[in-house]
Amino acid sequence: MSTATLQQQRVQEFAYKAARFLALPYFTWRFNTTADPEPDLPAPYVVVANHVTELDFFFLGKIFKTPMGFVVGHGLLQNKLLGKLLVDYFGCIGKQKGVTDMKMTLTMLRRLQQGRNLAIFVEGNTTFDGRTGPFPPATGDLLKAMNAGVVTVRIEGGYFALPRWGRGIRKGRTRCKVINTFTKDRLAQMSGEEINGILQQDLYEDAYARQEKEQVAYRGKNPAQGIEHTLYLCPQCESLNTIKGQGRQVVCASCQAKAEYTDKGYLEGDFTHRSILDWTVWQAGQIRQGLRGNGGLS
C-alpha cells in the first residue's frame, strides 16, 4: 500500500471519529435514539441497513465506533465541494441509481481488501410510506462476492421522526438494532437467494404496524407541511394534485375536505384513510386502474 493511500485512510478514519464525536450527542438527543452495541465481528464487514431518512448515516454511527465508508447516491456527489468532502475525507462511494455500477463495485472491493468496513442502504431510496422497499435481486450475490462479513441493521421510528415528504425532525423515539451478524465463511456457504431472503426478513420495517402497537408521539412544528409530496389523489373527490399540507392541516383545495395530522402520524378528519400508508396504497391502485382503463397497461 502506498504512503499516499495510507495517509488518506488515516484522514478518513480521523474524519469519521471526529464527526461522530461532534455530532452524535446532538442527534442522539434530537432523535431520542437508543442503539445496540457494536457487534464483535472481525473486520472487514459490510453493514446493510434499511433506508428511512436522509440522516440514516447517523443511526449507523450511533452503533459503529469503527470507521466505515458509506455507499451514497451519485446525486450527492454532483456538488464538487460536497463530493470532495464525502469522497476524500469520509471515504464515501458514489452509486448510480438503477444501474449496475462496476466502478462502485470495484471501489467497494478495494476498500474491503484493505480491511476497512462498508455501509450500504440497499433500497437506494428512503421510504415515502414507512415500509421498507425492494432492493436489487443481485444484492445477495454481490455480498457473497465481497468475501467479507455482513451485519444487518434495522432502523425503527425514523419514518415518523423525519418523514421523506416532511421538513424538520420531530421529537419522539427511534432505535437502531443489530439484527444479525454473518462471518464471510458462513456467507460462502449460502446462495445469493438465501442471502436476499435474510435481508428481506431482517431489514423489513412497517412504521404504521409498529406504531399501532407502540403509539409513540412525534412532536414538531408544521408536521403536515410537505405531505402533498406523497398524497396526490383526494379520496373524497378523486381530484389530482389538490392536496396541501400546512401546519397540522391536510386540505383538498377541490372539495375542501380536511384532516389533522396528529403527533402519532394519523389523519383525523374527513378523509377515508387514517394513515399515509393506507392512502398511498389506495391512490397507487387507483392510478393503476385508471391506466388499465385507458389502455396504458395490459
Side-chain angles (χ1 to χ4, degrees):
M1 188 183 302
S2 68
T3 302
T5 301
L6 187 59
Q7 184 177 1
Q8 186 179 46
Q9 288 185 18
R10 289 171 178 167
V11 168
Q12 292 171 357
E13 291 179 3
F14 174 80
Y16 179 93
K17 292 177 180 178
R20 188 176 183 275
F21 175 78
L22 294 172
L24 203 59
Y26 170 76
F27 284 112
T28 298
W29 165 77
R30 196 71 181 84
F31 280 105
N32 190 21
T33 302
T34 57
D36 286 346
E38 185 172 19
D40 183 16
L41 185 69
Y45 54 77
V46 182
V47 179
V48 186
N50 57 323
H51 204 4
V52 189
T53 79
E54 295 296 339
L55 294 177
D56 284 346
F57 56 85
F58 150 72
F59 292 108
L60 296 191
K62 177 74 174 171
I63 292 178
F64 295 93
K65 299 176 183 178
T66 305
M68 57 185 163
F70 291 88
V71 177
V72 301
H74 191 70
L76 277 177
L77 308 180
Q78 293 302 300
N79 180 288
K80 290 185 179 180
L81 182 60
L82 179 59
K84 183 175 180 60
L85 177 68
L86 292 176
V87 174
D88 292 350
Y89 292 91
F90 286 94
C92 292
I93 300 169
K95 179 187 184 304
Q96 294 279 6
K97 291 185 178 181
V99 298
T100 301
D101 193 335
M102 185 58 67
K103 181 179 178 181
M104 175 206 71
T105 302
L106 291 174
T107 306
M108 291 169 61
L109 279 169
R110 190 177 303 116
R111 183 183 177 97
L112 291 168
Q113 288 168 357
Q114 294 168 351
R116 306 166 73 204
N117 298 335
L118 275 172
I120 305 176
F121 302 103
V122 289
E123 298 157 82
N125 285 300
T126 54
T127 174
F128 269 113
D129 62 19
R131 295 179 300 180
T132 302
F135 54 86
T139 301
D141 289 329
L142 176 64
L143 290 174
K144 183 180 173 72
M146 292 288 112
N147 193 32
V150 166
V151 181
T152 56
V153 173
R154 187 170 64 234
I155 300 168
E156 301 173 356
Y159 175 73
F160 292 112
L162 186 59
R164 178 174 178 176
W165 51 262
R167 296 184 181 179
I169 300 171
R170 297 100 192 270
K171 190 70 174 290
R173 186 174 70 204
T174 60
R175 291 184 292 260
C176 197
K177 291 186 174 181
V178 174
I179 307 300
N180 260 315
T181 60
F182 301 90
T183 64
K184 66 178 182 179
D185 292 335
R186 185 177 174 191
L187 284 179
Q189 298 171 0
M190 302 166 63
S191 68
E193 289 185 357
E194 287 175 319
I195 296 171
N196 283 341
I198 289 170
L199 296 182
Q200 289 171 349
Q201 178 176 316
D202 288 1
L203 306 187
Y204 186 74
E205 173 70 359
D206 183 331
Y208 275 102
R210 187 173 301 281
Q211 184 69 321
E212 283 292 324
K213 299 176 182 177
E214 299 184 355
Q215 294 293 302
V216 178
Y218 293 82
R219 297 183 174 88
K221 295 180 180 179
N222 303 317
Q225 186 174 4
I227 207 167
E228 63 272 11
H229 294 305
T230 191
L231 304 179
Y232 52 79
L233 186 65
C234 177
Q236 306 307 111
C237 67
E238 298 195 0
S239 296
L240 191 64
N241 295 328
T242 57
I243 300 298
K244 179 71 175 177
Q246 187 171 7
R248 290 183 170 275
Q249 296 298 311
V250 181
V251 181
C252 173
S254 178
C255 68
Q256 302 304 311
K258 62 182 179 180
E260 177 183 344
Y261 180 81
T262 70
D263 289 339
K264 294 182 179 179
Y266 293 98
L267 298 164
E268 294 183 353
D270 300 331
F271 297 114
T272 307
H273 308 291
R274 289 190 63 242
S275 73
I276 292 173
L277 174 58
D278 289 344
W279 191 326
T280 56
V281 169
W282 169 79
Q283 69 186 9
Q286 293 297 108
I287 295 298
R288 286 194 297 270
Q289 183 177 343
L291 289 172
R292 292 191 187 99
N294 291 325
L297 293 176
S298 58

